[in-house]
Amino acid sequence: MGKTKMGRPMWSALVAGGAAVVFTGVAAVPAGAAEGGVSFTWVSVNGGKPIVIGVTEEVEVPASFRMTTKLKYDFGPTVFPYRGKPDTGDRLYSSVITSDCEVVDKAEGICDFKEWLYIDPRNVDFGNEDAGTWKTAARVFLAGDASDTDDKNLPLQVKRATRVTANASPEPVTAGKTITVTGRITRANWDTHTYQGYAGRTVSLQFKAEGASSYTTVKKATSSSTGALRTTVKATVPGTWRWTYYGNSTSGAKSSTGDYVAVR
């Protein structure tokens, strides 16, 4: 991967898929197209949900968009996250696969595309500073070494993955007695490629009674300097306990696996 002039990550693209459909009509700007003769609409990345990334697994991010143009093009098109400026700023992906054109209107040069964008947290240029808000741009490479890039003004949230564990004891317990629920919350560190204790987080203790279909928040606790969680509650009916963290602007939401406690 290269670097921008500012020394920040510039993720290189690898566009795959079949050959793009080439429209051979006049190179006039179609209705609704940008000044450069290409219009991108209906842009969606990850269904509008945050992109949550761990420390070792490459993440596949689905995207889709519509492109309208009567210009010839021979590479792309793609949509991608960026910071700074669409053409010269930081771009966040390790590779991209774009589908063939699904022709909507051949006469007007309208195509729908699906895309799969990949982000690998093990890349040397990827680090904790990449968590937060990114923008979305769309680009196509035109015949004759030209290109068209549009800023779609679509924010994307990129977040560090969290993990949460839970353990409730004793098991079983006598009705009316106290149980202790412990656990730990950790967060992906993209600089070290490990999960580390996430201190000072407000985490919800939730309970689902036996036979119930959903969890209810019982109380909240704050994680220690090592991410440890601990609280006590009275046992009344059998059911399952878990911890839930609702996330923030740079960290993903996560619930622990539930721990069932029988009450006698």
Side-chain angles (χ1 to χ4, degrees):
M1 294 192 309
K3 291 280 190 175
T4 67
K5 293 180 180 179
M6 298 301 292
R8 294 279 294 112
M10 177 71 80
W11 292 64
S12 60
L14 173 62
V15 181
V21 173
V22 177
F23 296 103
T24 57
V26 297
V29 178
E35 184 178 347
V38 184
S39 173
F40 294 93
T41 56
W42 293 13
V43 175
S44 174
V45 179
N46 207 39
K49 298 179 294 183
I51 300 171
V52 181
I53 304 170
V55 298
T56 59
E57 296 297 323
E58 184 177 60
V59 174
E60 180 185 85
V61 181
S64 59
F65 57 93
R66 172 168 289 183
M67 185 177 74
T68 301
T69 187
K70 291 183 179 178
L71 302 174
K72 293 181 181 181
Y73 62 94
D74 52 16
F75 193 63
T78 60
V79 296
F80 56 91
Y82 79 94
R83 281 176 173 170
K85 295 182 179 180
D87 279 319
T88 60
D90 304 337
R91 286 169 279 170
L92 187 63
Y93 55 87
S94 51
S95 62
V96 179
I97 296 174
T98 305
S99 72
D100 292 336
C101 159
E102 180 182 338
V103 178
V104 177
D105 188 325
K106 185 174 182 179
E108 293 299 321
I110 303 174
C111 277
D112 283 343
F113 292 91
K114 292 182 180 179
E115 176 182 296
W116 298 267
L117 183 148
Y118 296 89
I119 302 173
D120 191 339
R122 295 164 294 185
N123 194 290
V124 67
D125 284 333
F126 189 73
N128 292 335
E129 70 277 5
D130 292 313
T133 302
W134 291 71
K135 298 177 182 179
T136 306
R139 179 177 57 201
V140 64
F141 290 90
L142 304 169
D145 296 326
S147 66
D148 185 287
T149 304
D150 292 350
D151 184 350
K152 301 315 298 177
N153 196 29
L154 176 68
L156 292 174
Q157 296 298 316
V158 178
K159 298 187 177 185
R160 296 159 66 179
T162 56
R163 291 178 173 177
V164 189
T165 61
N167 181 64
S169 62
E171 305 174 48
V173 64
T174 302
K177 296 295 184 178
T178 297
I179 63 173
T180 300
V181 186
T182 59
R184 189 168 184 241
I185 178 170
T186 57
R187 180 172 63 157
N189 185 323
W190 294 336
D191 294 331
T192 62
H193 307 293
T194 59
Y195 281 87
Q196 297 179 340
Y198 200 9
R201 298 301 98 192
T202 299
V203 185
S204 297
L205 177 66
Q206 299 182 321
F207 179 70
K208 182 174 69 173
E210 186 174 350
S213 59
S214 60
Y215 283 88
T216 300
T217 297
V218 175
K219 62 192 305 186
K220 298 180 180 181
T222 301
S223 61
S224 73
S225 60
T226 62
L229 299 164
R230 181 184 178 90
T231 192
T232 58
V233 290
K234 294 290 185 180
T236 56
V237 296
T240 303
W241 297 90
R242 74 177 185 184
W243 292 104
T244 292
Y245 177 60
Y246 287 101
N248 56 38
S249 61
T250 60
S251 307
K254 189 68 175 180
S255 293
S256 70
T257 301
D259 189 14
Y260 178 81
V261 176
V263 177
R264 298 175 178 175

